[in-house]
Amino acid sequence: MIPNFLVTHSGGFHADELLSSVILTRLFPQARIVRSRAPEWITPGEDRIIYDVGGSYNPAAGIFDHHQRGAPLREDGQPYSSFGLIWKHYGRDYLAASDLPEAHVEAMHGSFDDGFVLPIDLTDNGALSPSGPLAGLTLPVLLETLKPVFDEADPEADDRAFHAALAIARSFVEARIAQSAAKLRAEAIVHRAIEAAGQGRVLELPRGMPFRPAIVKAGADHLLFVVHPREKDWCVTGIRRAEEGFELRADLPAAWAGLTNGALEAVCGIEGASFCHNGRFIAAARTREAALAMAELAVKEALSIGAQSNGGR
């Protein structure tokens, strides 16, 4: 079915129908968004897709609501919003239309659902309520701040605000998809670099890129530092132990902390060493050779400290 109309409810808007509209307008750019609760619009027909309104879930009829009794649930019992339902049925087509390689579509569909769609679904259904200082900065809240104020008298204000918010919502979805696709490309590069490194403790990459997920996936627990070129110099960085937090597999040497240029060269004995962060998680060098030398020196110190700690037990 190629719809002429994409129908969702009128009035105030939420993240779920905005994000559903992002997906559908990409796939059906010729279709007009209609925001209405009028029966003649929210009744299924061959010329329309209806979502977040209509009181029914029937993909064959093109209607995707989740407010009714007996609304669909995920296999694990968690609720869908309209965004989850639209992503379930149209997400793979959206990814294909975004020029994602076919081999990556299924994995990306699942990961985007887990990391982006599900939190929207849970929040919309009241099953997740963000708290703390950042609660007001979640995507659903930020999108809803774009609604007209309560005493706005212009009857067209809601629709204008919806379309303005739609453009912003689109930028978030497209950026998240682009970043996820880039991580998949990076994974292939990192895996090749891991093979080239063998049992060495330093991983050299051709450029800066996400590396930790691929290192973990490959089980390369022996790696301690990553070296790669930047725009004008080379970077030496540690590898975090966990996805959350900042603890590293190994810190850069304590004697380097906060030093730059000549002072750092004098301490580490490597010409071209140019910077070490006071937190000892990243350092820089003017040349590849200097960066690799710094990394190897950091490995020796980390292994020595580890050996001393083990020997003291």
Side-chain angles (χ1 to χ4, degrees):
M1 177 179 68
I2 300 179
N4 295 319
F5 305 102
L6 304 173
V7 183
T8 191
H9 60 80
S10 55
F13 53 81
H14 302 94
D16 66 327
E17 77 267 21
L18 274 172
L19 294 164
S20 297
S21 300
V22 169
I23 306 305
L24 294 172
T25 53
R26 174 65 185 270
L27 293 175
F28 308 108
Q30 78 292 336
R32 177 167 65 92
I33 294 178
V34 176
R35 302 184 70 241
S36 176
R37 298 183 187 272
E40 61 268 26
W41 278 115
I42 63 174
T43 299
E46 293 184 357
D47 62 349
R48 66 195 64 179
I49 295 174
I50 303 166
Y51 52 104
D52 209 42
V53 70
S56 178
Y57 168 59
N58 185 341
I63 183 166
F64 302 87
D65 200 6
H66 69 106
H67 297 100
Q68 66 279 10
R69 287 189 178 184
L73 300 174
R74 295 168 179 269
E75 291 182 0
D76 60 3
Q78 297 188 98
Y80 283 106
S81 73
S82 63
F83 185 34
L85 295 174
I86 291 298
W87 184 254
K88 175 181 178 181
H89 291 278
Y90 293 99
R92 293 172 180 83
D93 292 338
Y94 177 89
L95 293 172
S98 302
D99 297 325
L100 192 73
E102 184 178 353
H104 292 169
V105 166
E106 197 61 34
M108 178 78 78
H109 184 266
S111 64
F112 187 76
D113 185 64
D114 290 340
F116 194 100
V117 181
L118 178 59
I120 301 294
D121 286 357
L122 296 179
T123 302
D124 189 79
N125 283 283
L128 176 65
S129 181
S131 59
L134 296 179
L137 298 178
T138 61
L139 183 58
V141 173
L142 291 174
L143 290 175
E144 287 189 39
T145 63
L146 301 173
K147 293 190 292 188
V149 294
F150 79 96
D151 52 358
E152 170 62 63
D154 185 347
E156 302 299 321
D158 273 328
D159 281 352
R160 282 202 309 272
F162 178 90
H163 285 282
L166 177 58
I168 295 171
R170 178 176 290 111
S171 69
F172 278 108
V173 172
E174 290 179 350
R176 180 63 175 260
I177 294 295
Q179 289 291 334
S180 297
K183 287 181 180 179
L184 290 173
R185 296 194 301 273
E187 183 176 291
I189 296 171
V190 174
H191 274 294
R192 290 195 293 270
I194 291 172
E195 292 178 356
Q199 292 304 305
R201 302 284 188 162
V202 177
L203 182 71
E204 183 177 359
L205 297 174
R207 65 178 66 183
M209 65 185 69
F211 55 77
R212 186 182 177 277
I215 290 174
V216 173
K217 186 175 180 179
D221 297 335
H222 61 289
L223 292 171
L224 297 181
F225 296 100
V226 175
V227 170
H228 64 80
R230 299 193 296 193
E231 185 176 350
K232 294 182 179 180
D233 61 2
W234 285 73
C235 179
V236 182
T237 184
I239 302 170
R240 286 186 292 119
R241 289 187 180 276
E243 188 63 31
E244 302 295 331
F246 298 98
E247 184 182 2
L248 301 178
R249 293 182 177 184
D251 295 313
L252 292 164
W256 300 1
L259 300 182
T260 60
N261 299 320
L264 180 58
E265 288 182 330
V267 167
C268 70
I270 298 171
E271 183 179 355
S274 59
F275 167 77
C276 181
H277 194 283
N278 200 46
R280 298 161 56 201
F281 60 88
I282 189 171
R286 286 185 285 276
T287 66
R288 171 178 178 269
E289 291 73 21
L292 289 172
M294 290 174 73
E296 292 296 347
L297 193 58
V299 166
K300 289 180 181 178
E301 178 163 317
L303 293 179
S304 175
I305 292 173
Q308 292 172 18
S309 298
N310 292 332
R313 290 178 181 175

